[in-house]
Amino acid sequence: MPSSCRELLAVDLVCLSFAQVDPALLSSALPPGSTAPALKARSHALLEARPELLKDVSSASDLKLSAMRAEDAQDLADLQEEWFPKESCRGGAPWCAELLSHEGVLAFKATIPQDETQAPVGIIVALATKQAIEELGGEATVDILRSQLTIPKYIPWDSPERRELGYVLSLGTIGELRRRGLGNALLQRALAELRAAAKASPSFLGEETKDTALRAVALHLADYNRVARTCYERAGFKMIKEEPDCYAGVGRRMHSSLLYALFIE
């Protein structure tokens, strides 16, 4: 994988089957032809032991969305290992604990209300500040965001606390709860929190003040991930740039990285 792209993370809506993973139901974030990963997340064992929990979950509105904390690090690490290529999973639980403790990170999990253990069945992680994007997104990500968004779109990027540009680092749901709108519900929660966190400056020229200083939200995903592309495009994201040969596939095959962005009016 080229060094300019190695640090880009796959950002995807994923669909995994439970127990014996049918190759046709692998995570959409994994390259075509990938073998089934081990399903280590607590949610799978929970639903095997208590299948009745799924009976009352017909849509995302039946699930509980709450903020993730450092104590959720192992759950986050286990889910990411199921969903994404190995090179996209950094440092396991220790790195996830650092991620979830960062003041510039907004992270949310979906849980089944009747589950007292609060095992995540879906997660989203977003970077809300310039500092967070620089420290957690990687140098290659920063270079692309600078060349494609902050400079040409005149988005402020001059201090660590800047919140005009957000970045979705990770989004996923377990396969047992696919097709219930959970991915979109998590995405909309993160977008709302990014808007709220980016407070607009008061206008001194008599102009109407916007409710947020957020200008855009960006993300990267692999070109083969049609499930994720459909999810984000339905939410209003547009493809900005394709970078070829950024993701290693099965064998010697390489795949493009796609930069998507949602512009806030």
Side-chain angles (χ1 to χ4, degrees), residues 177-229:
L177 289 170
R178 65 189 184 278
R179 298 191 182 94
R180 288 172 170 82
L182 178 53
N184 183 64
L186 286 162
L187 178 59
Q188 295 305 319
R189 174 64 180 272
L191 292 176
E193 295 293 337
L194 286 169
R195 289 177 63 96
K199 297 179 180 179
S201 300
S203 172
F204 297 101
L205 301 177
E207 300 174 353
E208 183 177 352
T209 303
K210 295 177 62 176
D211 66 342
T212 180
L214 186 66
R215 296 276 302 280
V217 179
L219 57 90
H220 283 96
L221 53 85
D223 61 350
Y224 57 75
N225 195 340
R226 298 186 181 278
V227 174
R229 294 177 68 173

Side-chain angles (χ1 to χ4, degrees), residues 40-63:
K40 295 167 49 180
R42 293 190 297 126
S43 52
H44 303 301
L46 168 74
L47 294 176
E48 181 182 33
R50 301 174 61 187
E52 71 278 3
L53 290 176
L54 286 177
K55 294 181 180 179
D56 296 327
V57 182
S58 60
S59 69
S61 61
D62 296 320
L63 296 166

Side-chain angles (χ1 to χ4, degrees), residues 24-47:
L25 296 175
L26 285 173
S27 160
S28 63
L30 295 174
S34 296
T35 56
L39 301 185
K40 295 167 49 180
R42 293 190 297 126
S43 52
H44 303 301
L46 168 74
L47 294 176

